Amino acid sequence: INRWVNLLIFASFIVTAITSIMLVLTEYKLIKAQFLSNLVFIHNFTGIIFILLSILHIYLKWQFYVTFFKCYILKDKK
């Protein structure tokens, strides 16, 4: 399941990044987007999916993060 979550995070990030670039170019009148409301919806929707999948990713890897940081905290105390 972790591999699928990582792939979905990557895909949603790519879509969000591309729509961000398109929105910036539209703002500066470098491109003309006739579907601006759809573009904003897609950007917001994939951004929300990206955030939720990132939270799920952190939840699935929580034990790794705890172990990783415990090692550094114990190393600093010595």
Side-chain angles (χ1 to χ4, degrees), residues 13-31 33 39 43:
F13 174 77
I14 294 298
V15 172
T16 304
I18 290 171
T19 55
S20 295
I21 292 168
M22 291 176 69
L23 287 169
V24 168
L25 292 176
T26 303
E27 182 68 27
Y28 287 108
K29 309 277 192 269
L30 297 174
I31 63 171
L39 192 63
H43 175 77

Side-chain angles (χ1 to χ4, degrees), residues 31-75:
I31 63 171
K32 187 174 183 181
Q34 298 169 347
F35 49 91
L36 188 61
S37 62
N38 289 340
L39 192 63
V40 171
F41 173 77
I42 292 169
H43 175 77
N44 291 337
F45 185 72
T46 55
I48 291 169
I49 289 173
F50 177 74
I51 291 169
L52 294 176
L53 286 172
S54 298
I55 292 169
L56 177 63
H57 176 79
I58 291 170
Y59 175 76
L60 291 174
K61 294 282 191 173
W62 186 253
Q63 190 60 42
F64 169 76
Y65 295 136
V66 169
T67 306
F68 181 78
F69 287 114
K70 269 187 185 176
C71 180
Y72 279 106
I73 290 170
L74 292 176
K75 192 184 291 183

